[in-house]
Amino acid sequence: MMRTRVFTALLAALALLMPPAAMAVMPEGVLTLLIAPDKTRVYSSHVSAMNNNDKIVLMFHQAGSNRMEYEPILGALHIAGYDTLTVDQRSGGDDWDFVNATVKKLGESTEYSLAYPDLEAALTWATRKKYKTIVVLGSSYSASLAIVLASKNGNDIDAVAAYSPGEYFADKNWIKTAVSNLSIPLYITSPESENDKVDEVLKWEKGQDITRFKPSDAVPGASMLRPDKNPEGYKANTEDLVKFLNRFK
């Protein structure tokens, strides 16, 4: 008992000496190492909503970001019955006072398109875990990559949710071509200031199952789901996402 008290006291003392960034909240879940097709080590966090669950949302962040981006909404997704896997892609950074572990391991952030294998690694992991319902969710550049992933893996993915997607890559037809090839439901949204980007992405859609949400209050990317970035709209935006996810329970 004495040793436990001493150890606890030492931890408290160390916490007082740590700089604010070092005291940032850690992401929920179990640190999970993914191996991309090109053998890159990709770091992620996995949270189980319940024992033996067969539903999961794979979550990918925006530029300059990391898996902490989704921390404020994980609880809502777990209550809705979904496990979550939040991923540190190789194109990202240290937003939210948290270090992108994949970028740190590589030594630098890559261009957006090079992060696509990281999404593939997450999907491979989920299918090997025998999840029966898999939804992919992306933010800004990763929303675009999530659409590409879904267009190529309709047999494994049940739906895709895209926050502020756009033609952010050298091939300016890449994402709208992917949309035209989708065989699964798409949830797509953005702030009003980015409606033109979404219009472009949907330009070649063929009457598929597309839910376009136009929020009253929003900011770019999945940040619109965070109370610190979108205090007026995060609740309604999260509720609309959960409404979409409830279709696949």
Side-chain angles (χ1 to χ4, degrees):
M1 179 67 72
M2 180 61 71
R3 288 182 178 178
T4 300
R5 288 176 180 172
V6 170
F7 182 66
T8 302
L10 286 171
L11 287 178
L14 286 171
L16 291 174
L17 295 173
M18 288 180 181
M23 296 176 65
V25 176
M26 293 295 290
E28 286 190 60
V30 177
L31 181 64
T32 302
L33 181 64
L34 312 173
I35 305 299
D38 62 357
K39 308 304 181 184
T40 297
R41 297 161 67 91
V42 181
Y43 294 85
S44 65
S45 292
H46 176 238
V47 182
S48 296
M50 61 191 79
N51 292 332
N52 302 314
N53 194 17
D54 62 0
K55 300 177 292 297
I56 191 167
V57 183
L58 309 179
M59 310 174 77
F60 309 102
H61 59 72
Q62 62 191 290
S65 190
N66 51 67
R67 63 190 189 272
M68 269 308 252
E69 180 173 333
Y70 292 106
E71 200 70 11
I73 69 160
L74 294 186
L77 302 189
H78 300 155
I79 291 170
Y82 285 86
D83 292 357
T84 55
L85 184 78
T86 52
V87 180
D88 277 358
Q89 295 107 243
R90 70 189 73 185
S91 183
D94 299 342
D95 284 350
W96 329 114
D97 291 328
F98 187 75
V99 174
N100 182 311
T102 305
V103 172
K104 181 179 180 181
K105 182 69 175 179
L106 290 173
E108 62 179 357
S109 176
T110 69
E111 62 180 81
Y112 299 158
S113 62
L114 295 181
Y116 182 73
D118 304 345
L119 279 66
E120 293 181 303
L123 178 59
T124 297
W125 176 89
T127 56
R128 288 177 177 171
K129 290 291 184 180
K130 306 299 184 183
Y131 279 102
K132 294 181 179 179
T133 301
I134 299 175
V135 178
V136 295
L137 189 158
S139 176
S140 193
Y141 89 85
S142 75
S144 300
L145 295 183
I147 291 172
V148 174
L149 186 75
S151 73
K152 294 181 176 181
N153 297 277
N155 291 331
D156 294 321
I157 298 172
D158 294 271
V160 54
Y163 284 78
S164 299
E167 295 285 6
Y168 300 122
F169 312 95
D171 180 353
K172 297 305 178 184
N173 294 323
W174 193 25
I175 310 308
K176 51 181 168 284
T177 298
V179 169
S180 73
N181 291 326
L182 275 177
S183 59
I184 60 174
L186 167 64
Y187 177 92
I188 191 165
T189 185
S190 70
E192 185 176 359
S193 62
E194 295 187 336
N195 278 345
D196 58 334
K197 294 180 181 179
V198 174
D199 291 342
E200 179 69 15
V201 163
L202 296 177
K203 193 172 182 179
W204 294 348
E205 60 92 8
K206 299 176 180 177
Q208 295 107 315
D209 184 346
I210 298 175
T211 300
R212 184 170 182 180
F213 176 52
K214 295 184 177 181
S216 300
D217 296 287
V219 294
S223 293
M224 70 173 69
L225 301 170
R226 294 180 58 99
D228 57 343
K229 292 295 183 180
N230 187 24
E232 300 299 322
Y234 79 93
K235 185 176 181 180
N237 297 351
T238 302
E239 289 173 350
D240 201 75
L241 171 62
V242 170
K243 179 182 176 181
F244 177 73
L245 294 176
N246 284 340
R247 292 177 51 187
F248 311 102
K249 295 176 67 172

